[in-house]
Amino acid sequence: MAAVSFPPPPTIVDAPAPSSSKQSAFSAAVSPLANAYNRFSSWRASLGLPGPGTVENLGKEAKQALATNFLLDGARADMTKVLSVEPAFQVTHSFQLASQSMPSSYNLATVFATQDTFMQGNVDNEGNVTMRFNKGWSPSHTSKVQGQFSTTPGHNMLQLEHDYLGSDYSLNAKAINLSPTDGTGMYVGSYLQSVTKNLAIGSEVLYQNAGPGMADFSTSWLAKLSASDKSWIGTAQVQAMGILQASYWHKLSEKVEAAAELQLIAAPSRRDAIATVGAKYDLRMSQLRAQIDSTGKVGMVLEQKIAPTFMFTISGELDHFKNAAKIGVGVMIESSSLTPEEMGMVPQPGSVPL
Amino acid sequence: MPSEETKERIIRAIDIGRTVLHYGWIPFVIYIGYTRSNPQPSLIKLMSPLA
């Protein structure tokens, strides 16, 4: 880093003489601290560090480019009804069947979103409900509630979360399944700070209190290295137990992204590692993701847009060493009760009947 | 430290709150979406997957 000179301390104009000598003693004691703080914060602002993004989104670019989270198993149909655009209101009915690992299911999802509020609810055919509620108080403060309510006891979850985005750092606090009567629950605090224009480092502290005498602390360290023009991003997370997660994402061109992920467990009881390499192509009417990992699994997902409201997905995964395969097909139909004008779309010239 | 009785009351209140969210959250989101939508959709379009 280049040598940075401290800017001259900002001149502090003293308020008209304080009435009592006690107050002036107090301000005399505090002013060096306030002065130092002012100098520190103006020095910090002069560095012009970028916001590092949130800890939750660390490695998100790589996850979006890899096929792992987009693989389908069996057949799936999603029917989305867009009922309003501003504010956004959608109802989605989705059906899933013929999966190798999960029974057939039906899912109803509703989403309502305005500029600062986001509400989502999801219910499946067994009556399990998941909910999400986000509220943005200001551009830098966001509160989130996430819940899962199940008909089988013991599967309920409630997570309260608050995000704060500073100019060059981000803070996040989470409380999961907290109980106000005995203090049990899981608490997570994380902090990510930009150190230079390209490097951000941070830490995540997890405190788990499962009952008297069963409290547990664990810390993990995070780092994010990115190019000045955001054309590539590398992230790493090291946990105290000897778990390393690293990701690398590179935008090769407007339409091609490549990504790699490494997960390494080096605990005394278990040593394991898995690496995944993949690419994503954004074509005019389709998106193609392909990947291969170190266990010999080859996966591919093709999302083909046949019409603006109709998308067809085909996915496959081949495990050569276990001689297993998984394939999936999906259709997504989006219907709307709105006219194109109401949705804020200009009708395409080609679709005008002559 | 709260007394046993208060603890029990808090636990019961949390249980009720959870049940309310379990059965009430989806209807609540649909109600908010339905009343705030612009333009307001008809009920049949809201619920049926095919309409």
Side-chain angles (χ1 to χ4, degrees):
Chain A
M1 199 164 54
V4 181
S5 59
F6 279 73
T11 46
I12 294 168
V13 182
D14 267 324
S19 52
S20 75
S21 62
K22 215 175 182 182
Q23 248 182 0
S24 71
F26 177 74
S27 65
V30 161
S31 73
L33 283 175
N35 225 325
Y37 178 76
N38 281 340
R39 273 174 66 170
F40 176 70
S41 50
S42 59
W43 168 69
R44 191 164 160 174
S46 73
L47 291 176
L49 294 173
T54 59
V55 171
E56 195 185 354
N57 289 344
L58 201 76
K60 189 185 172 200
E61 291 84 6
K63 282 199 172 65
Q64 288 289 319
L66 290 173
T68 314
N69 297 320
F70 296 87
L71 285 168
L72 297 177
D73 185 10
R76 187 192 165 101
D78 284 355
M79 271 173 269
T80 302
K81 292 173 71 69
V82 180
L83 293 154
S84 170
V85 176
E86 189 60 52
F89 180 43
Q90 288 186 5
V91 178
T92 304
H93 302 264
S94 65
F95 303 86
Q96 168 126 31
L97 46 129
S99 162
Q100 287 172 6
S101 52
M102 291 205 295
S104 303
S105 64
Y106 163 75
N107 215 300
L108 171 72
T110 56
V111 179
F112 175 76
T114 60
Q115 292 290 336
D116 57 354
T117 314
F118 174 83
M119 290 196 272
Q120 196 227 38
N122 222 315
V123 59
D124 71 4
N125 55 327
E126 281 167 359
N128 302 317
V129 173
T130 54
M131 67 161 281
R132 255 165 192 280
F133 176 71
N134 297 359
K135 174 86 188 157
W137 308 103
S138 74
S140 52
H141 283 279
T142 312
S143 292
K144 299 176 182 175
V145 181
Q146 246 183 74
Q148 197 176 320
F149 311 105
S150 170
T151 42
T152 47
H155 281 78
N156 297 311
M157 193 272 282
L158 188 73
Q159 173 178 317
L160 307 173
E161 193 179 343
H162 191 85
D163 253 328
Y164 176 70
L165 293 176
S167 60
D168 58 356
Y169 64 98
S170 66
L171 268 170
N172 175 278
K174 268 185 222 162
I176 302 160
N177 276 350
L178 79 169
S179 155
T181 52
D182 50 8
T184 59
M186 203 158 106
Y187 305 87
V188 185
S190 62
Y191 178 68
L192 193 63
Q193 166 79 51
S194 290
V195 184
T196 71
K197 283 203 162 62
N198 306 108
L199 177 68
I201 56 173
S203 145
E204 188 172 69
V205 178
L206 190 147
Y207 173 70
Q208 191 164 16
N209 187 353
M214 287 169 70
D216 185 27
F217 253 112
S218 75
T219 312
S220 63
W221 300 95
L222 318 152
K224 179 178 178 180
L225 192 63
S226 50
S228 303
D229 60 350
K230 301 275 175 225
S231 66
W232 58 265
I233 296 171
T235 66
Q237 179 169 13
V238 183
Q239 283 170 35
M241 346 255 278
I243 299 171
L244 169 79
Q245 276 176 309
S247 79
Y248 178 72
W249 170 87
H250 199 138
K251 200 173 177 86
L252 296 168
S253 79
E254 193 84 325
K255 293 185 170 172
V256 188
E257 289 168 26
E261 248 185 7
L262 172 72
Q263 197 158 32
L264 205 140
I265 303 171
S269 54
R270 185 164 167 239
R271 291 170 70 84
D272 201 4
I274 178 165
T276 313
V277 184
K280 177 185 160 201
Y281 296 84
D282 279 306
L283 305 171
R284 198 173 64 86
M285 292 291 271
S286 61
Q287 263 186 353
L288 177 72
R289 290 181 176 86
Q291 71 173 34
I292 182 161
D293 72 12
S294 58
T295 60
K297 270 191 220 166
V298 184
M300 196 208 80
V301 180
L302 172 70
E303 291 176 347
Q304 174 79 43
K305 238 183 181 153
I306 290 168
T309 57
F310 184 78
M311 191 161 86
F312 184 77
T313 309
I314 185 157
S315 99
E317 191 182 47
L318 280 172
D319 190 336
H320 285 295
F321 291 110
K322 284 189 188 144
N323 201 11
K326 194 164 90 174
I327 72 162
V329 286
V331 284
M332 274 170 97
I333 302 166
E334 201 174 284
S335 68
S336 175
S337 53
L338 306 175
T339 61
E341 288 77 26
E342 279 174 335
M343 290 180 74
M345 283 197 310
V346 183
Q348 287 175 3
S351 61
V352 177
L354 295 170
Chain B
M1 208 56 196
S3 70
E4 284 300 315
E5 203 180 318
T6 335
K7 272 189 187 176
E8 223 159 81
R9 231 175 258 164
I10 292 172
I11 289 172
R12 208 177 314 141
I14 291 173
D15 245 17
I16 291 169
R18 187 163 55 212
T19 313
V20 167
L21 274 182
H22 190 165
Y23 296 101
W25 179 253
I26 303 269
F28 174 69
V29 176
I30 291 177
Y31 174 75
I32 292 285
Y34 177 68
T35 48
R36 307 259 171 101
S37 275
N38 181 30
Q40 203 169 64
S42 67
L43 268 178
I44 183 78
K45 276 185 175 149
L46 185 68
M47 283 329 289
S48 116
L50 299 170

